[in-house]
Amino acid sequence: MTALPSFLRLRRMQPNALLGGILMLVLGLTALTGLLWTPYDPLKINILQRLAGPSAAHWLGTDEFGRDVLSRLLAGAATSVWISLLTVTCAVTTGTLFGLSAGFLRGWPDRIIMACNDAVLAFPGILLALGLLSVLGASKYGIILALSLAYMPSVVRVVRGAVLSLREREFVEASRVMGNSELYTMLRHVLPNCTAPLIVLATSMFGWVLLSESALSFLGLGVPPPAPTWGNMLAASRPYIGQAVWLGILPGLCISLTLLGANLLGDALRDHLDPRLRGLK
Amino acid sequence: MFRFILGRAAMAVPTLIIVAVSVFIMIRLIPGDPAQLMLGDQATPETLAEARRTLGLDHSLPVQFGLWISAVLEGDFGTSISTGKAVLPLILDRFIVSSSIVLSAVLIASLIAVPAGMVAAWRQNSLSDLLIVGGATLLLSIPSFWLGLLLMLLFGLKLGWLPVVGYVPVSEDPLAALTFSLLPVATLVLVETGVITRMARASTLEVLRLDYITHARAKGLSERVVLLRHAFRNAFAPTWTLIGLILGNLLGGIAVVETVFTLPGLGRLLVDAIFARDYPVIQGCLLFIAGIYVLVNLIIDLMYPLFDPRVTAE
């Protein structure tokens, strides 16, 4: 893992990595701000100020209930980022656990885990999350659970694939010969070597999860209103988009910039950490 | 060749069984008694017992699964709780709407994206490569539901060129049907172009690095022949798989675009059924979409030898 520090050296950075990094940093700061402080209460209704355009008091205008859009965007960032982070963490931890066990133990644990994995992968995209949400009901933790389950199989595949090739390598053999237990070998020697593909996957996954969460909220199956998320703000803007353009543009712009950041950073990390592609640039 | 087709088709069967079992289990996980949900507050113990009998809930779970799956195989997906109509005709009606939009969008997107990706790979690190990759990454980062809203705002509300929401079936008025489906198709084309371009570029880059391309160039073939005959056909295979995955993914994911343009499609049917807690419809939609997904991937795999004859070599 000596790759990361050199990657973080600013002058060696690719412009797309820099842009991606900056976008993600801005997102993080926005979410943190939304968590700690917003100019107005994002839920405070003010009927007299309905659909008011941007002004000195309300920088980004107000929505159909007279709520401050900037405050709602900030609070929405906090919610969306929190849900995405938690989902990615859940998917990566459980996926790593299963992938590691499947690849290292092989035999019947491998067969059972991969059969379950294939069952989940047999559902296209967001469909599994939709199905699970019909069972769990629309709530913050329902989404996290549904999306974690939907995104876990890709982690299992990546980790299992890495482990299967790693376990045949000499340094793993050496650890065994030295008398280290299988568990120790797995955690000390195999797992750290899976981190590069995992970091790449987790970065891109953050973007996909945020997009899925926004889509579900847009459909009304995500975080229930009045709590703001970018997805449900967009959904609520639909009837007013003719009179209040900013309501339809701002939340979507936030989602797009976040996705752009995650995609650029994910690509840059992959180019850097995937040795197969390193000579290419 | 025949063995390849048969073998690949046989592989789809266990997947379909897994899908059916997962859908069945998922719906049974819903807390509460389906009969109670169906009858609502007016339920008396007698009507409840009657409903449980007609739904087959008085049997054990494996028997229930057997009854359900044999009904499904005969084309009986149950009846909708909220409308009392048969589920399968409902799904098929909506499927025609969704599939016509998805198919035309993916077709147009592929026709744009595959050549674009291949040109970008061929001219790697040039200005055109930079522009194509940048454009694709940008398109990839725009959520379809937001792009749909923006297009609607621009072409529907500001310019007034196209109808904003609604749907007319092709059978009633082909021209009106075209104007109503133009914006949803354009939305999906733009979003999917980004994904397919990147894939086409990446797989072409992989192929161009292989020895046989160097060999083809070394023996003096023109660049045109090297690319058209040797590189592109081979490079298309992974993109072809991706196109299949996109087709399947869109059938579930199109719900957001259908919501933007209020189209009566399959995705919207599923989402509305989730809101109405209409479990036979949810179950039917999940099974149908996942089934189509498996089928599409099977067809894609069966056509794979057209691009990569090595697949059938075993």
Side-chain angles (χ1 to χ4, degrees):
Chain A
M1 282 312 297
T2 48
L4 266 182
S6 76
F7 175 73
L8 287 175
R9 247 175 266 154
L10 207 62
R11 65 188 165 80
R12 285 191 48 191
M13 257 190 194
Q14 303 271 345
N16 61 348
L18 197 64
L19 181 62
I22 290 173
L23 282 172
M24 293 317 273
L25 199 68
V26 170
L27 174 78
L29 289 175
T30 313
L32 204 63
T33 315
L35 195 66
L36 300 173
W37 173 85
T38 51
Y40 295 85
D41 177 359
L43 303 182
K44 180 126 190 327
I45 292 174
N46 182 357
I47 278 310
L48 294 174
Q49 287 273 328
R50 283 184 87 229
L51 302 174
S55 64
H58 299 279
W59 288 4
L60 298 179
T62 61
D63 71 358
E64 70 279 14
F65 293 112
R67 296 172 296 199
D68 182 51
V69 172
L70 177 63
S71 304
R72 288 180 68 73
L73 283 175
L74 288 170
T79 315
S80 294
V81 169
W82 176 239
I83 289 178
S84 307
L85 275 181
L86 223 57
T87 304
V88 172
T89 313
C90 281
V92 169
T93 352
T94 47
T96 306
L97 211 66
F98 284 127
L100 209 57
S101 322
F104 206 76
L105 301 172
R106 297 200 291 194
W108 61 265
D110 184 27
R111 274 198 288 274
I112 293 176
I113 291 171
M114 290 323 280
C116 296
N117 214 45
D118 288 345
V120 179
L121 281 174
F123 290 92
I126 206 172
L127 191 72
L128 185 79
L130 280 174
L132 286 170
L133 280 175
S134 70
V135 178
L136 299 165
S139 73
K140 202 191 272 184
Y141 295 99
I143 301 176
I144 294 175
L145 196 62
L147 289 178
S148 302
L149 261 171
Y151 283 102
M152 194 181 69
S154 50
V155 183
V156 175
R157 289 213 149 181
V158 166
V159 174
R160 176 176 176 270
V163 171
L164 279 181
S165 73
L166 282 170
R167 71 193 304 282
E168 306 300 331
R169 300 268 291 274
E170 286 86 356
F171 67 89
V172 175
E173 194 57 39
S175 169
R176 284 206 197 97
V177 173
M178 282 164 70
N180 292 327
S181 72
E182 290 287 286
L183 188 70
Y184 179 85
T185 309
M186 189 159 89
L187 295 179
R188 183 73 184 79
H189 297 291
V190 177
L191 184 61
N193 280 293
C194 299
T195 37
L198 269 179
I199 290 171
V200 176
L201 184 66
T203 314
S204 316
M205 196 190 279
F206 179 82
W208 305 333
V209 170
L210 195 122
L211 177 64
S212 303
E213 183 270 321
S214 307
L216 290 173
S217 296
F218 183 77
L219 290 173
L221 290 166
V223 178
T229 64
W230 295 340
N232 70 24
M233 287 173 75
L234 260 186
S237 80
R238 282 181 58 222
Y240 310 99
I241 192 159
Q243 327 157 36
V245 182
W246 62 91
L247 283 184
I249 289 185
L250 293 170
L253 197 63
C254 292
I255 302 174
S256 288
L257 288 175
T258 307
L259 289 182
L260 188 64
N263 285 334
L264 287 175
L265 199 64
D267 285 356
L269 283 170
R270 194 198 51 221
D271 291 349
H272 190 82
L273 294 176
D274 189 340
R276 253 175 4 116
L277 297 165
R278 204 172 284 165
L280 228 66
K281 283 268 164 179
Chain B
M1 188 66 197
F2 187 67
R3 278 191 55 187
F4 164 73
I5 294 176
L6 217 64
R8 184 57 191 82
M11 270 167 63
V13 176
T15 320
L16 282 173
I17 295 174
I18 289 174
V19 165
V21 173
S22 327
V23 169
F24 180 78
I25 293 174
M26 209 187 313
I27 297 299
R28 298 297 132 149
L29 282 177
I30 294 169
D33 179 358
Q36 179 78 52
L37 280 167
M38 205 172 126
L39 294 171
D41 297 336
Q42 286 109 40
T44 62
E46 293 81 45
T47 55
L48 214 59
E50 174 64 31
R52 291 180 64 83
R53 215 173 7 260
T54 45
L55 287 173
L57 294 174
D58 46 353
H59 298 289
S60 67
L61 272 182
V63 176
Q64 282 185 41
F65 177 73
L67 287 173
W68 174 67
I69 203 72
S70 54
V72 163
L73 288 176
E74 286 169 13
D76 176 11
F77 278 53
T79 44
S80 156
I81 295 175
S82 51
T83 61
K85 288 183 192 149
V87 172
L88 188 61
L90 204 62
I91 291 180
L92 290 176
D93 265 3
R94 302 296 197 95
F95 176 64
I96 293 171
V97 178
S98 300
S99 59
S100 57
I101 288 177
V102 167
L103 276 176
S104 32
V106 172
L107 182 72
I108 299 171
S110 310
L111 289 177
I112 302 170
V114 172
M118 287 175 170
V119 167
W122 177 47
R123 290 260 169 260
Q124 197 196 356
N125 294 333
S126 71
L127 182 67
S128 47
D129 179 29
L130 200 71
L131 287 177
I132 291 173
V133 172
T137 309
L138 211 60
L139 285 177
L140 191 73
S141 307
I142 303 178
S144 56
F145 45 98
W146 187 51
L147 190 63
L149 273 178
L150 291 182
L151 291 179
M152 197 169 88
L153 186 67
L154 181 64
F155 293 104
L157 293 172
K158 295 286 173 215
L159 298 172
W161 291 354
L162 291 167
V164 177
V165 291
Y167 176 75
V168 175
V170 183
S171 50
E172 276 177 28
D173 183 352
L175 197 69
L178 186 70
T179 55
F180 275 109
S181 47
L182 217 52
L183 283 182
V185 170
T187 306
L188 291 181
V189 166
L190 286 172
V191 172
E192 299 308 334
T193 299
V195 187
I196 302 173
T197 304
R198 283 166 53 108
M199 184 69 184
R201 179 180 178 272
S203 43
T204 310
L205 276 181
E206 294 252 311
V207 170
L208 287 176
R209 284 163 60 209
L210 295 178
D211 290 340
Y212 81 92
I213 295 292
T214 318
H215 177 251
R217 281 186 179 138
K219 76 179 180 188
L221 292 182
S222 72
E223 190 67 9
R224 218 174 75 102
V225 176
V226 171
L227 291 176
L228 292 180
R229 192 181 303 157
H230 295 283
F232 289 168
R233 206 174 92 160
N234 235 334
F236 184 60
T239 313
W240 180 242
T241 308
L242 179 79
I243 291 173
L245 291 175
I246 289 176
L247 274 177
N249 274 325
L250 274 184
L251 276 181
I254 195 184
V256 284
V257 176
E258 289 169 355
T259 304
V260 173
F261 296 104
T262 52
L263 290 170
L266 193 55
R268 201 55 236 176
L269 178 71
L270 173 61
V271 173
D272 288 339
I274 293 175
F275 282 128
R277 303 185 141 254
D278 195 340
Y279 295 113
V281 178
I282 301 177
Q283 201 166 8
C285 284
L286 290 177
L287 190 66
F288 186 84
I289 298 175
I292 292 284
Y293 185 59
V294 174
L295 204 67
V296 167
N297 282 319
L298 174 65
I299 295 170
I300 291 279
D301 276 9
L302 290 182
M303 287 172 75
Y304 217 94
L306 291 177
F307 313 109
D308 191 348
R310 284 172 301 180
V311 181
T312 46
E314 287 176 49

